[in-house]
Amino acid sequence: MSKSLPLARLGVVGGGQLARMLAPACNAHYVQMTVLDPMHHSPAGQVAYGQIQGELHDPAALKTLCEQSDIVTFDLENVGADILMTLAHQGVQMVPAPATIRLIQNKFEQKHHYQASGIPTAEFIDIGDDPDFAVVEAFGLPCVQKAHTGGYDGRGVHVIRSADDWKKRLKTTSFLEKFVSGGIELAVMVACRASGEMVAYDPVEMVVDPTLNLLDYLVAPARVSDALRLRAQELAKQTVKSFGTHGLFGVELFVTDDGDLLVNEVAPRAHNSGHHTIEACVTSQFENQLRACLDLPLGATALRGVALTANLVGEPGFVGSPVIEGLDELSQIPDAHVHLYGKDECRPGRKMGHLTLIGENHDELIQRLESVRKSLVIRGDTPQ
């Protein structure tokens, strides 16, 4: 079938690192990507076909993006979903549907959706704005407090093991979730297109930084049995099907002590747990995100080898313009791939890039990461 070029005008709500990493796939397919972001010269705006500067909840800015796009997708879910739903009803094509974005924006509504859809998830209760600690004790310790809305990159999550932890609780509308022991967290990237075709990547094992509450590093494939990997892929597909829309989704899963799988959360977009796919898989998550948007046949998801991806976050004690140390040493390591996100301000704990290592086995990659971290540092140029 012949197609006119450019293949499409793709609008992306949000101009962060995820949209930045989508740009190469767009360029390869001659897709003109325009991003909407409030920041001048945003990470994606630096490499996109164009950028509209505006707030992600601004009706006029969102309307302008839609008018300049054939298809609209998302870099993040903290956007004006109600406005986008109105625009979708007027005929604007969006992937995924903004109704799914609105559902996923509220983690408490997410949990109810899984419960209603027969998808296994950890037990939870709503606690509103300012509950008594007796409610928490009755629910059971340890547990996890989660904000209904606004949580991302470790924000909006607080583990409660004692009354002292409760004193440091989130002061916002929230719910409690049972703490899942077992220590293994998995994630599965799933892409699906309007025709119904669906692919799932190999599950990855996520190691979370306990201080920052965000991904420290992942290994792919996850260090679990083949049977558990298949079950994780099937549960991830079932979860994505429950939303009734197409696109790319990151499905986070817990493995219990008994070997059961529970859905934690879903991201309706590219996800940190899929960054390794750029170098480690036949088709990257970003390529398949674009294919899902354009309703093109999805690419193969097979791993080329064992992979490890680590977040590069701002060092404590520094702020300001980003400075990187150790890049010369890293450049001499075979199959080491660094991605810097183009953010103009570095703060402690802020994601500034990621590093992917490809090798033969998990232990060797973890040792290589420990060695790399002795020299590779990203920090601000000003001591705090």
Side-chain angles (χ1 to χ4, degrees):
M1 179 187 296
S2 61
K3 294 180 182 290
S4 300
L5 295 175
L7 207 54
R9 301 174 303 159
L10 180 69
V12 184
V13 184
Q17 64 260 25
L18 300 180
R20 182 185 179 95
M21 288 183 276
L22 178 61
C26 289
N27 293 339
H29 287 278
Y30 195 5
V31 171
Q32 296 175 346
M33 185 180 83
T34 299
V35 301
L36 169 65
D37 197 89
M39 181 189 302
H40 174 67
H41 206 53
S42 66
Q46 297 165 23
V47 298
Y49 177 79
Q51 175 177 334
I52 298 166
Q53 188 171 352
E55 297 297 328
L56 305 183
H57 292 76
D58 178 23
L62 289 166
K63 186 171 185 292
T64 298
L65 179 70
C66 290
E67 288 171 345
Q68 296 183 15
S69 307
D70 302 313
I71 308 156
V72 173
T73 191
F74 304 89
D75 168 89
L76 73 173
E77 53 267 30
N78 186 21
V79 301
D82 289 339
I83 302 158
L84 290 166
M85 287 176 66
T86 299
L87 292 167
H89 288 315
Q90 294 171 0
V92 179
Q93 186 178 350
M94 299 186 193
V95 180
T100 298
I101 297 290
R102 187 175 69 172
L103 169 64
I104 287 176
Q105 284 176 342
N106 189 305
K107 291 184 179 181
F108 185 62
E109 291 183 8
Q110 254 195 85
K111 296 286 287 187
H112 273 294
H113 171 80
Y114 303 143
Q115 193 176 60
S117 302
I119 294 168
T121 191
E123 183 183 346
F124 65 101
I125 60 165
D126 194 23
I127 56 172
D129 294 321
D130 191 24
D132 190 272
F133 184 58
V135 175
V136 182
E137 289 182 302
F139 181 68
L141 298 173
C143 61
V144 182
Q145 182 192 16
K146 292 186 176 181
H148 278 213
T149 60
Y152 73 99
D153 277 356
R155 299 170 179 85
V157 178
H158 180 58
V159 178
I160 301 168
R161 294 184 172 87
S162 65
D164 286 340
D165 291 329
W166 180 243
K167 293 174 184 176
K168 304 170 187 174
R169 66 188 178 276
L170 304 173
K171 303 298 175 60
T172 187
T173 305
S174 60
F175 64 97
L176 297 181
E177 183 178 88
K178 286 289 187 185
F179 185 89
V180 180
S181 60
I184 300 178
E185 295 187 32
L186 305 180
V188 179
M189 296 305 306
V190 177
C192 58
R193 54 189 289 221
S195 67
E197 181 189 8
M198 179 178 287
V199 295
Y201 287 82
D202 277 285
V204 304
E205 180 182 342
M206 300 192 295
V207 177
V208 176
D209 184 310
T211 302
L212 298 175
N213 274 330
L214 55 78
L215 180 69
D216 184 17
Y217 68 88
L218 66 81
V219 291
R223 294 171 291 184
V224 296
S225 69
D226 290 342
L228 186 55
R229 287 182 203 167
L230 289 172
R231 283 170 49 209
Q233 287 177 312
E234 289 307 309
L235 179 55
K237 287 180 178 179
Q238 177 192 351
T239 303
V240 170
K241 285 178 183 176
S242 75
F243 294 120
T245 185
H246 54 293
L248 179 73
F249 298 83
V251 183
E252 298 180 9
L253 306 164
F254 291 129
V255 182
T256 70
D257 284 331
D258 296 328
D260 295 325
L261 290 168
L262 302 174
V263 172
N264 178 25
E265 296 173 1
V266 172
R269 51 171 170 76
H271 192 252
N272 205 164
S273 62
H275 290 350
H276 68 290
T277 63
I278 298 172
E279 288 85 21
C281 291
V282 174
T283 311
S284 77
Q285 67 166 339
F286 300 100
E287 169 78 16
N288 268 334
Q289 180 182 16
L290 180 63
R291 293 188 187 201
C293 288
L294 302 181
D295 198 23
L296 293 173
L298 299 173
T301 60
L303 280 163
R304 299 182 188 275
V306 179
L308 179 152
T309 292
N311 274 329
L312 302 177
V313 302
E315 283 287 298
F318 296 88
V319 295
S321 298
V323 174
I324 184 167
E325 301 172 354
L327 192 58
D328 289 352
E329 293 87 340
L330 179 68
S331 300
Q332 299 175 51
I333 299 175
D335 256 340
H337 309 271
V338 68
H339 294 258
L340 302 177
Y341 296 158
K343 297 178 180 179
D344 60 8
E345 182 186 3
C346 186
R347 301 187 298 271
R350 188 184 193 194
K351 290 181 188 175
M352 301 301 294
H354 75 264
L355 165 72
T356 295
L357 303 172
I358 311 294
E360 298 297 325
N361 64 74
H362 298 91
D363 292 339
E364 177 253 339
L365 290 181
I366 292 170
Q367 289 175 2
R368 283 170 63 188
L369 175 63
E370 292 174 353
S371 176
V372 166
R373 281 181 163 168
K374 292 176 182 176
S375 59
L376 186 65
V377 170
I378 297 183
R379 59 173 177 80
D381 63 354
T382 306
Q384 284 183 304

